[in-house]
Amino acid sequence: MASNFAARANQALMQSSPKWRLVVWLLLMLSASLWTLQLWQNGARVQSDILAMLPHLQQDKLTERALNQVEATLADQVYIALVAKDETTAIAAAKLLMQKFEADLVARGMQGALTDIRSADMQLGEALGQFYFPHRFKLLTAPQAEALASQNIESLIEAATAQLYNAFSYANSNLLAQDPLLLFPANLLALAPSSKVRASQGILLANQGDNVAAVVMAKGRESAFNPNAQLAQMSALTQGLDAVKQSYPDITLLKAGALFHAIAATQTAKSEISILGLASLLGVIALVWLAFRSVMPLLLAIVTISSGLLLAVTFTLSVFGELHLLTLVFGTSLIGIAIDYSFHFYCERLSDTERSAQATVAYIFPTVTLAFITSALAYVGIGLAPFPGMQQVAIFCAAGLLGAYLTLILAYPLLAGSRLPAGSRPLALAGTYLACLIQLSKRFTTPLGMGLFALVILVWCLGGVTKLTVDDDIRHLQQSPASVTEPENQLRQLLSGGTDNQFLLVRAPSEEALLQQLERVSPMLDTAITNQELGNYVSLSRYLPSHQKQDTAYRLQGEIYQTQLEQVLTSLGLDENLKPELQAAYLATKTDYITPAAFFTLGAGKQLAPLWLAPNEANSPVSNGALNDGGVSAEHGADQGADYGAIVLLGGIQQIDALKARFAHDESVQLIDKVADISAVMGHYRLLTLKLLALALGIALLLFSLNFGFKKAVVVVAVPALAALLTLATLGLTGSPLSLFHALALILVFGIGIDYSLFFASAQNHGKAVMMAVFMSACSTLLAFGLLAFSQTQAIHYFGLTLSLGIGFTFLLSPLILTTTLALTTNQLLTTKKS
């Protein structure tokens, strides 16, 4: 059936006019160009966001919201530390930098690249004091609660007396009249987590050895991974930092934030696109010129590549609306594959100079078509990976191959009509190499030779595959240079470890239950800090005590204001007339509670609001301003059954496995580790990709059996299969860990390698022409993928290295198909004669 279809298509090809085919091709390329231009004008863009390549995790809605909240809060933050020899210089430099940032913001009409410029909030303590003081009867520190629970009020009286005589205490007559035991100041201090940083003159300071670092923070208006936003943010940063350097030349800068990682990734990708792409293109051009010594093959090679790239960009933008920079890096390999069709065409013409261009296209049409289908299917296999970036690579390369294939079928019959100059030398060299290889292979046809060959391959494969290790860590997708990571690590240490990407998601069916859960989790995290599993954490439990905890504090303080108040006033020498007012104030606050809705209206509360997840976005305390007792507003009563959630940020994580173990059996607490989750998905798809490769080999065997017969089909499929196995073994022997990118590359080893096998299997009297074409094809592919192996991005390096090994092995093994074919043909003839 397949051969009949190819014959009919070939006949139609011979009958069609080369001029009309060229017109069709020109219209197709013109349409693609106009459509691509319109897509760019309608907002299509180049994407440099590394996160856009990551797989989409299947999460419940609350977890997904939590991930979005954390990413939105942390992703676009910029941190600058100005390190000076003394505190005065550090503060002055920080103030100057903030002035420059704010001046840029004002100059751009409040649309500057950097917003939310801040350091330390000096009004924070005062604002918190004003908020919490009316609720003082429902606040107690742990030592205060323990003293009241054991009726040890004397210890509290002694502590209050000590504060009265302390020159640096908060005690004053107004506070004493409302809080005679001075319990509130200790509760206010407890809100501030222990930290290495301090504040002075509105600037956040930290010691770095003998030096002092002043920390300035800002937030990018747009995503740090947007190329235009990167330029704007770096421009604002550079202007401000240059001004600081001019005024304070001895200042040392430390920078941290996703912006600097994104810039490094963008610069690396752009550099590799230009260098690797240009090197690959120049290599292919040199290859064509050396082989054919004619301008026309060179021009048509460029036309083939250009048409392939045009369709690749058109299809990718049409499907995704954007083109990822890493897709372009991977896509440089398209140059080495798309040109294969041109090589096969001209090598066939070189072997038979009397044959017309149209007849040559018709001659190679069946094999080229089958090769195109198998290569395109290989790229479709890559598209099954859960990575949007890899899906783009699949569409980009498959569409690029389609462009090259259509150029060969439609444009070559007319454009390649001119005769080639006499060039028998490349064919003679290819024939000599092929003859030597066939002669060498005959030595392995003896039982001893075949046994020795099989033993070597078996030892190689077993020795290498057994040493293979796996590495699915997503962080190897992009590794920032030391110039970015080292200053960031220093700055994180200054900020008590900073905040990591991992966090806890605590959930509960109601607002009150959630607050109680947070109070239960905090001591466990304190223990983790003591055990050096964790550096710090940020939890709402510090600011939002549950109603239960507030009721407990209120009941314990009843010991003071209902039974012991006279003793307290007398012991502290206070006026006994304060008693009625204090008791009245105590009783008046019985039904007043600290609530999330009220807290999130504060400046400090607004900063912490992203850590709170109400069942409905429109229902959150930030937007509603008030919640009822159930935590759900009346108009959203349908959400009563939904979970509340709270995010606990973690910093300075030292033992992630120990932290996971603490909450492993607690369904209400989930340690969200997106990096680990994505890495697990990578591992899953690595196994799936290898299974798909095995399935593809089986399907190819079935398909080729229809054309070549079962025995010959086995040989054709065995070449890329053995090449893939030898590649895995070599990776194991060299210590390269197996990842999803290796597996995806093996899919292409199969897709490209099967082309070589098909051409040799289809070769009749022109084995040397196929050998020359395969040699040139392998060289161009190795130029493309071999260069990718030099990429600084580890994922691309793995991809290129695997493909280089696989194509190299395929090139060495595929000519053996001729020997095997001759042997099979000979056996068939002998069988026929005997019968």
Side-chain angles (χ1 to χ4, degrees), residues 72 139 142 171 188 190 202 290 303 316 459 471 477 550 630 632 646 781-782 810:
L139 294 173
L188 192 60
L290 290 173
V303 168
T316 305
V459 170
D471 182 7
L477 181 67
Q550 292 181 62
V632 183
T781 304
L782 287 173
T810 306

Side-chain angles (χ1 to χ4, degrees), residues 318-363:
S318 298
V319 174
F320 298 98
E322 62 184 19
L323 190 61
H324 202 286
L325 275 175
L326 289 184
T327 300
L328 291 174
V329 175
F330 278 106
T332 58
S333 61
L334 180 64
I335 296 172
I337 304 173
I339 199 66
D340 289 358
Y341 302 138
S342 182
F343 291 157
H344 283 289
F345 171 85
Y346 274 108
C347 286
E348 287 297 338
R349 287 213 70 192
L350 202 61
S351 67
D352 187 353
T353 55
E354 299 301 320
R355 184 189 289 145
S356 68
Q358 185 176 3
T360 304
V361 170
Y363 177 76

Side-chain angles (χ1 to χ4, degrees), residues 419-590:
R419 290 184 178 275
L420 287 173
S424 58
R425 180 173 173 76
L427 278 176
L429 290 174
T432 303
Y433 172 79
L434 187 59
C436 292
L437 200 62
I438 291 175
Q439 190 66 31
L440 180 65
S441 67
K442 287 181 179 179
R443 297 183 180 181
F444 293 103
T445 57
T446 63
L448 179 62
M450 292 180 65
L452 183 62
F453 179 75
L455 181 63
V456 171
I457 295 296
L458 183 63
V459 170
W460 188 345
C461 291
L462 285 177
V465 172
T466 53
K467 289 185 178 181
L468 266 180
T469 58
V470 297
D471 182 7
D472 298 312
D473 195 336
I474 191 63
R475 284 168 290 196
H476 292 158
L477 181 67
Q478 177 69 46
Q479 292 181 316
S480 297
S483 59
V484 174
T485 56
E486 288 180 3
E488 182 171 272
N489 291 334
Q490 293 181 44
L491 187 47
R492 284 174 62 87
Q493 291 302 315
L494 288 177
L495 298 174
S496 303
T499 303
D500 292 322
N501 292 323
Q502 298 90 347
F503 61 91
L504 292 181
L505 174 60
V506 183
R507 64 180 76 212
S510 68
E511 180 181 288
E512 173 62 15
L514 179 59
L515 294 174
Q516 291 181 27
Q517 288 279 41
L518 288 172
E519 290 168 355
R520 182 179 61 82
V521 167
S522 291
M524 299 172 71
L525 293 176
D526 292 333
T527 304
I529 292 175
T530 303
N531 295 341
Q532 297 184 340
E533 300 168 10
L534 182 67
N536 59 83
Y537 67 93
V538 178
S539 174
L540 288 170
S541 65
R542 190 184 300 275
Y543 305 94
L544 293 172
S546 65
H547 284 201
Q548 182 185 59
K549 187 175 182 180
Q550 292 181 62
D551 286 338
T552 300
Y554 185 80
R555 178 177 53 79
L556 290 174
Q557 290 205 46
E559 180 70 18
I560 302 171
Y561 294 101
Q562 291 185 320
T563 61
Q564 305 279 348
L565 189 54
E566 289 184 7
Q567 178 188 346
V568 169
L569 294 175
T570 302
S571 300
L572 295 174
L574 298 176
D575 189 349
E576 293 185 3
N577 292 329
L578 293 174
K579 180 179 177 180
E581 295 181 11
L582 286 170
Q583 288 181 331
Y586 171 79
L587 293 172
T589 59
K590 182 177 182 179

Side-chain angles (χ1 to χ4, degrees), residues 398-421:
L401 281 182
L402 176 63
Y405 173 78
L406 292 176
T407 302
L408 172 69
I409 302 302
L410 300 176
Y412 273 51
L414 187 63
L415 294 182
S418 59
R419 290 184 178 275
L420 287 173

